[in-house]
């Protein structure tokens, strides 16, 4: 069998998407502000020990999830790493389900079994939150493989519904590009023409290690995608309008041509790596420099300059979001913890006898999202 | 039986000549070791650091590598200050490439260096499963005795911090299945220092399992360098009703349970195995000669666990001394949950241990 040529798609020279509508921009502003507010409350709740385990907030990176997810269809698959609250919310998970998960409540998106790093939302095509660095990258290839297989081979979805041409978005941090699994995935998807777009949310740090100390040729990440024959893009992830204009046509090209993508999406995180990071590896000046380019403030002021948002509108939008998040916190607070019997549920789809020397597995509560 | 060709001879030395420059310490009896009592109170993490630093001072072949070990001073501050003392050539920050850096360290060990590989968590070592399980423990055998692999892999093991199922691995059951490796699992700062020093001197690959939950535990640790031999359990508490056998963090659960049980007049022998490969089965049998009852406590899943192995060995070596079937208390046989109460119920916690002991002695609460 001869191998499919690594055909290049033409996102970079295709005409840029025209200016997004005001309506769309207002939606983005709202979505980004929701994440910002949500994460601020998450950090508070963590400090009050209402949230446990590892918790990584998305503050500063909001435009990445909102702009890229805003460029795909509602039923395109999405998968990400452990810094996943922003993607979950951008994908449409309710703040209640997300917060309740971190509170370890039965109403959480994973019934309190997953925690902050493992946000899953089946109705919204979110295939996780994954805690092991790089683990999601071959999975992302698999999600795209399945959609392509349904479309090309089965001509319908596994549930019998119409198969569409889909694009999968798979997010990873700059630290994750050093994992072998990612390189294996890149090679595979290029050779097999699998339409998954790897979005590197390049915030310049892998925990406390600056990018130039952890990866080779760090100033030119897209050369890595290109070396696998993947047409690759570098995008400013702090300006959501520009992000959208560059990314949207790229998505459509990957979808049409069934080709993978590789995007170096440059961004910055305002908080520490996790909730327990003294951040000695960077200066406050550096953080302030990026805060001055804040993506939310930038979009808000653009909308005000164009007369599409008044100071009062913006204030009342912020207030409405604050109320929404506060009521999500309250709902999480009030929700019950999982029954102890939930410990032994969801382990097997077919819990037969004698699977364990100790435990008889059962099915528990139906996931609240289903 | 075939005889060797004239040109070949049998190895006479205790240490295989494939690994050169081995200095096995003179191990002292438990009573000759420096005292466990005293007022030099330090944390578990500092005890680990002292063992590594002292070995690095005396042996240039020893170096430390892993994620965030150098400039960040360790994700869990085990290696704090070591970059300052030893410099970036011996305290090495790696990319998040476990497969790559573990394999690289194994190559260096084949050449006679003495790498210490820090896994931020043993959970992440699964990414490096091939080199650490398929290369390191088999190198001596596969090469027909030409290449050894004197290396230490160390990091956090086990659940307890609400980290969820991907980050809460207890690898002892899984990994101890592999011949060619040794495995040490200290339960307290004193043993941590003495066992890690021994691990670094050992000519074989040593899997050294710490616990993020214990790194802040404090106890007296002698300033001097000392070595605790592998394969020698410690009787952490004496009793005659039941033998409790454990290793690592659950030893402390056993001690808590034993305290509670003592209030009801049930006195337990608590044996801290300290290493599980080698396993000090003789000390276990000695104890059941006295108690005739045994509960093995293990924080891995029950199926094919270390507890299963310990119980199999007890049945092989001490069956006649038992008055009742041996009992194991493992983590519940499910992936690790995040929610706090579920996670607690999942662990081999003191309540579950006490219940198992009470059932065994037929006592009521
Ligand atoms: C295999 C593996 N190794 C190490 C870790 C610990 N760890 C979690 S996040 C992280 C840094 C990742 O940085 P990056 O990929 O840039 O993502 P960011 O946190 O910046 O979003 C490390 C070392 C892990 N979770 N999995
Ligand atoms: Mg990063």
């Amino acid at each position: 069998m001869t191998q499919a040529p690594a055909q290049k798609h033409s996102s970079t020279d295709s005409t840029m998407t025209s200016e997004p509508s005001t309506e769309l921009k207002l939606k983005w502003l709202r979505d980004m502000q929701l994440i910002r507010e949500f994460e601020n409350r998450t950090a508070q709740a963590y400090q009050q020990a209402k949230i446990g385990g590892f918790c990584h907030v998305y503050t500063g990176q909001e435009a990445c999830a909102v702009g890229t997810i805003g460029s795909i269809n509602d039923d395109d698959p999405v998968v990400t790493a452990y810094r996943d609250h922003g993607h979950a919310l951008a994908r449409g998970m309710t703040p209640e389900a997300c917060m309740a998960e971190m509170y370890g409540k039965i109403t959480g998106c994973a019934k309190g079994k997953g925690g902050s790093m493992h946000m899953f939302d089946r109705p919204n095509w979110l295939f996780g939150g994954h805690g092991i660095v790089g683990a999601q990258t071959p999975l992302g290839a698999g999600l795209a493989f399945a959609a392509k297989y349904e479309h090309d081979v089965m001509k319908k979805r596994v549930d019998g519904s119409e198969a569409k041409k889909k694009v999968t978005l798979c997010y990873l941090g700059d630290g994750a590009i050093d994992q072998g699994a990612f390189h294996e995935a890149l090679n595979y998807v290029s050779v097999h023409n699998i339409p998954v777009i790897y979005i590197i949310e390049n915030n310049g740090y892998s925990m406390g290690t600056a990018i130039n100390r952890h990866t080779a040729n760090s100033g030119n990440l897209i050369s890595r995608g290109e070396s696998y024959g993947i047409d690759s893009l570098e995008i400013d992830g702090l300006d959501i309008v520009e992000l959208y204009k560059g990314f949207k046509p790229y998505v459509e090209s990957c979808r049409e041509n069934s080709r993978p993508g590789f995007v170096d999406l440059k961004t910055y995180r305002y908080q520490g790596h996790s909730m327990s990071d003294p951040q000695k590896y960077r200066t406050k000046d550096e953080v302030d420099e990026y805060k001055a380019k804040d993506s939310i403030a930038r979009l808000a002021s653009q909308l005000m300059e164009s007369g599409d948002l008044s100071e009062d509108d913006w204030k009342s939008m912020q207030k409405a979001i604050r109320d929404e998040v506060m009521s999500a916190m309250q709902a999480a607070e009030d929700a019950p913890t999982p029954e102890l019997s939930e410990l032994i549920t969801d382990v097997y789809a077919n819990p037969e006898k004698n699977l364990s020397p100790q435990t008889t597995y059962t099915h528990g509560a139906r996931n609240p999202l289903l | 039986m075939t005889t060797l060709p004239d040109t070949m001879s049998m190895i006479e030395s205790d240490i295989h000549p494939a690994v050169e420059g081995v200095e096995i310490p003179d191990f002292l009896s438990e009573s000759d070791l420096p005292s466990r009592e005293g007022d030099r109170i330090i944390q578990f993490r500092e005890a680990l650091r002292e063992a590594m630093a002292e070995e690095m001072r005396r042996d240039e072949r020893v170096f430390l590598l892993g994620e965030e070990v150098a400039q960040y001073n360790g994700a869990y501050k085990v290696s704090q200050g070591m970059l300052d003392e030893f410099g970036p050539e011996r305290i090495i920050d790696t990319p998040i490439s476990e497969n790559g850096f573990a394999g690289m360290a194994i190559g260096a060990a084949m050449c006679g260096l003495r790498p210490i590989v820090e896994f931020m968590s043993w959970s992440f070592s699964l990414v490096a499963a091939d080199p650490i399980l398929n290369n390191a423990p088999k190198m001596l055998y596969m090469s027909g005795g030409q290449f050894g692999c004197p290396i230490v892999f160390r990091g956090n093991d086990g659940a307890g911090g609400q980290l969820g199922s991907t980050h809460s691995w207890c690898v002892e059951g899984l990994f101890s299945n592999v011949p060619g490796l040794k495995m040490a699992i200290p339960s307290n700062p004193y043993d941590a220092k003495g066992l890690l020093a021994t691990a670094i001197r050992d000519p074989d690959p040593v899997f050294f399992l710490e616990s993020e939950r214990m790194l802040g535990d404090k106890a007296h640790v002698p300033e001097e360098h000392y070595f605790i031999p592998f394969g020698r359990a410690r009787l952490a508490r004496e009793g005659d009703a039941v033998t409790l056998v454990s290793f690592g963090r659950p030893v402390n659960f056993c001690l808590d349970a034993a305290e509670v049980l003592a209030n009801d007049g049930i006195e337990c022998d608590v044996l801290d195995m300290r290493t599980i490969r080698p396993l000090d089965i003789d000390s276990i049998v000695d104890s059941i000669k006295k108690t005739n009852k045994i509960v093995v406590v293990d924080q891995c899943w029950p199926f094919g666990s270390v507890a299963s192995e310990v119980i199999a060995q007890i049945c092989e070596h001490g069956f006649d001394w038992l008055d009742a079937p041996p009992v194991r208390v493992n983590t519940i046989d499910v992936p690790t949950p995040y929610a706090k109460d579920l996670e607690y119920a999942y662990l081999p916690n003191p309540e579950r241990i006490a219940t198992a002991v009470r059932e065994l002695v037929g006592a009521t609460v």
Side-chain angles (χ1 to χ4, degrees):
Chain A
M1 211 179 96
T2 51
Q3 186 182 299
Q7 16 163 316
K8 283 203 162 194
H9 59 64
S10 53
S11 68
T12 34
D13 40 57
S14 76
T15 49
M16 294 277 264
T17 300
S18 52
E19 189 71 16
S21 69
T22 302
E23 201 191 344
L24 206 48
K25 288 188 199 168
L26 285 167
K27 180 183 180 313
W28 293 340
L29 184 65
R30 200 200 151 277
D31 289 354
M32 291 198 290
Q33 181 62 24
L34 175 67
I35 296 172
R36 175 77 46 100
E37 182 71 27
F38 184 91
E39 294 294 54
N40 288 342
R41 298 294 170 187
T42 298
Q44 267 177 11
Y46 192 89
Q47 263 130 25
Q48 296 164 359
K50 291 181 190 294
I51 297 174
F54 289 155
C55 186
H56 314 79
V57 298
Y58 199 59
T59 318
Q61 303 187 198
E62 296 88 349
C64 297
V66 172
T68 53
I69 289 173
S71 303
I72 60 169
N73 299 332
D74 288 346
D75 56 0
D76 284 330
V78 171
V79 67
T80 186
Y82 47 83
R83 195 180 298 284
D84 56 355
H85 317 157
H87 306 85
L89 296 177
R91 202 67 185 118
M93 184 185 290
T94 62
E96 287 84 346
C98 195
M99 191 60 79
E101 184 55 36
M102 293 193 270
Y103 275 55
K105 299 299 181 76
I106 190 74
T107 51
C109 67
K111 293 163 57 180
K113 291 179 170 181
S116 161
M117 298 191 287
H118 305 114
M119 297 291 170
F120 288 81
D121 187 341
R122 185 166 174 161
N124 283 312
W125 293 84
L126 176 65
F127 289 79
H130 294 272
I132 296 297
V133 169
Q136 75 280 18
T137 56
L139 297 185
L143 307 176
F145 174 94
K148 183 179 162 84
Y149 188 91
E150 288 173 322
H151 183 267
D152 294 355
V153 179
M154 297 174 66
K155 317 280 188 213
K156 57 180 185 312
R157 287 197 48 220
V158 286
D159 65 5
S161 63
E162 179 202 356
K164 302 176 189 164
K165 276 193 154 182
K166 292 195 174 194
V167 168
T168 295
L169 300 189
C170 178
Y171 298 85
L172 59 152
D174 52 288
I177 63 178
D178 302 335
Q179 281 291 28
F182 179 47
H183 291 259
E184 296 177 28
L186 283 178
N187 181 56
Y188 189 100
V189 298
S190 186
V191 164
H192 287 271
N193 295 307
I194 308 284
V196 53
I197 300 178
Y198 289 106
I199 299 172
I200 296 153
E201 293 185 281
N202 180 358
N203 58 18
Y205 291 93
S206 170
M207 207 173 242
T209 307
I211 187 164
N212 62 305
R213 290 209 304 121
H214 76 69
T215 209
N217 204 5
S218 60
N220 186 5
L221 294 189
I222 59 171
S223 67
R224 217 164 284 188
E226 284 162 351
S227 75
Y228 287 102
I230 299 171
D231 192 8
S232 306
L233 275 185
E234 195 176 292
I235 301 182
D236 174 3
L238 297 176
D239 182 339
I240 192 163
V241 175
E242 290 309 309
L243 190 169
Y244 178 81
K245 286 190 198 165
F247 189 69
K248 176 80 175 160
Y250 185 74
V251 169
E252 291 321 319
S253 167
C254 290
R255 190 191 304 279
E256 270 325 298
N257 302 314
S258 190
R259 281 297 295 163
F262 182 112
V263 178
D264 177 4
L265 189 52
K266 298 213 184 307
T267 184
Y268 199 76
R269 67 167 153 74
Y270 293 173
Q271 303 294 317
H273 166 73
S274 69
M275 296 310 301
S276 53
D277 173 8
Q279 304 180 60
K280 289 188 183 142
Y281 48 84
R282 63 181 186 184
T283 61
K284 194 174 167 296
D285 284 353
E286 182 185 293
V287 180
D288 288 343
E289 199 181 301
Y290 278 96
K291 283 186 175 170
K293 295 189 268 187
D294 184 66
S295 52
I296 298 177
R298 179 184 334 216
L299 181 60
S301 67
Q302 278 172 10
L303 283 161
M304 284 190 231
E305 270 163 36
S306 60
D308 295 306
L309 182 77
S310 71
E311 193 80 45
D312 283 349
D313 293 342
W314 180 213
K315 280 200 180 118
S316 61
M317 187 192 283
Q318 286 172 291
K319 163 131 193 2
I321 289 168
R322 197 173 312 129
D323 292 347
E324 185 184 353
V325 173
M326 290 311 284
S327 81
M329 309 270 298
Q330 194 59 49
E333 181 85 46
D334 296 343
T337 51
E339 300 282 337
L340 281 187
S341 59
E342 281 291 339
L343 192 53
I344 55 163
T345 68
D346 304 319
V347 181
Y348 285 95
N350 178 13
E352 301 174 87
K353 255 178 41 178
N354 294 339
L355 283 166
S356 168
Q358 173 192 74
T359 303
T360 306
Y361 304 102
T362 61
H363 295 315
R366 184 181 294 275
N367 186 292
L369 301 183
L370 299 180
Chain B
M1 222 174 100
T2 53
T3 49
L4 282 179
D6 293 346
T7 49
M8 293 177 73
S9 63
M10 298 300 289
I11 297 169
E12 304 288 354
S13 56
D14 286 345
I15 304 296
H16 198 292
V19 183
E20 288 159 337
V22 178
E23 290 173 67
I24 301 288
D26 293 327
F27 292 114
L28 303 176
S29 69
E30 204 65 20
S31 54
D32 289 336
L33 279 169
S35 174
R36 303 180 78 94
E37 311 296 326
D39 55 7
R40 189 171 175 273
I41 306 297
I42 63 169
Q43 293 186 1
F44 200 115
R45 54 166 61 80
E46 297 175 279
L48 294 168
R49 187 188 311 148
E50 286 185 358
M52 290 193 288
E54 190 50 37
E55 286 300 306
M56 285 186 65
R57 279 175 209 129
R58 57 166 289 285
D59 186 349
E60 259 197 324
R61 297 173 302 179
V62 183
F63 62 98
L64 172 70
L65 80 168
E67 291 155 17
E68 309 289 351
V69 298
Q71 287 198 13
Y72 199 78
N73 279 302
Y76 295 95
K77 304 293 170 243
V78 172
S79 55
Q80 183 138 36
M82 290 179 70
L83 173 65
D84 286 346
E85 180 174 354
F86 299 104
E89 275 147 344
R90 297 182 69 197
I91 306 293
I92 304 167
D93 275 331
T94 65
I96 313 180
S97 312
E98 286 84 0
N99 194 355
F101 69 74
M104 194 202 80
I106 292 166
M110 290 172 70
C111 296
L113 297 185
R114 300 288 195 271
I116 304 171
V117 177
E118 176 174 307
F119 290 122
M120 205 177 277
S121 159
W122 275 100
S123 294
F124 311 150
S125 79
L126 300 187
V127 176
D130 184 61
I132 68 171
L133 299 180
N134 224 359
N135 294 333
K138 301 174 177 174
M139 204 56 80
L140 188 60
Y141 193 87
M142 271 194 317
S143 66
Q146 298 184 73
F147 292 104
C149 192
I151 191 166
V152 176
F153 300 105
R154 44 162 291 270
N156 292 307
D157 178 71
Q162 276 194 275
L163 303 186
S165 65
T166 58
H167 281 48
S168 301
W169 269 89
C170 266
V171 296
E172 47 266 47
L174 206 59
F175 290 178
S176 65
N177 186 244
V178 182
L181 60 79
K182 298 178 180 174
M183 190 177 285
I185 317 182
S187 71
N188 58 72
Y190 180 101
D191 288 347
K193 180 171 173 177
L195 287 170
L196 185 53
T198 303
I200 297 167
R201 292 286 182 97
D202 198 279
D204 290 307
V206 178
F207 286 43
F208 196 90
L209 278 49
E210 301 151 14
S211 160
E212 179 247 331
R213 297 282 93 190
M214 295 196 300
L215 288 177
D217 286 2
K218 288 180 177 169
H220 168 71
V221 174
E223 189 167 8
E224 64 194 281
H225 208 44
Y226 55 94
F227 299 89
I228 296 174
F230 285 2
R232 191 167 85 194
R234 185 174 84 91
L235 192 58
R237 183 183 174 113
E238 253 189 278
D240 52 13
V242 172
T243 301
L244 282 171
V245 167
S246 196
F247 38 88
R249 183 168 177 241
V251 169
N252 299 299
F253 300 163
C254 289
L255 290 170
D256 289 349
E259 191 74 37
V260 171
L261 290 161
N263 293 334
D264 297 343
I266 304 171
E267 294 291 348
C268 298
D269 252 10
V270 177
L271 268 178
D272 181 347
M273 300 316 295
R274 302 199 285 203
T275 64
I276 58 174
R277 240 179 199 254
L279 182 79
D280 184 4
I281 185 67
D282 296 343
S283 291
I284 299 177
V285 172
D286 283 348
S287 174
I288 57 173
K289 284 180 183 167
K290 174 173 65 172
T291 62
N292 312 114
K293 294 183 194 67
I294 188 154
V295 174
V296 184
V297 180
D298 175 5
Q299 59 174 349
C300 358
W301 295 303
F303 203 108
S305 61
V306 180
S308 322
E309 173 58 28
V310 170
I311 288 176
Q313 292 196 27
I314 290 165
C315 292
E316 287 160 356
H317 301 286
F319 188 76
D320 292 343
W321 297 101
L322 290 177
D323 282 353
V327 173
R328 58 185 156 161
V329 178
N330 287 85
T331 40
I332 305 293
D333 208 2
V334 299
T336 318
Y338 161 75
K340 199 176 186 137
D341 296 351
L342 292 188
E343 192 191 42
Y344 189 78
Y346 160 88
L347 290 168
N349 57 52
E351 292 77 21
R352 290 184 55 215
I353 297 167
T355 303
V357 170
R358 287 202 171 94
E359 281 173 8
L360 190 56
V361 298
T364 45
V365 184

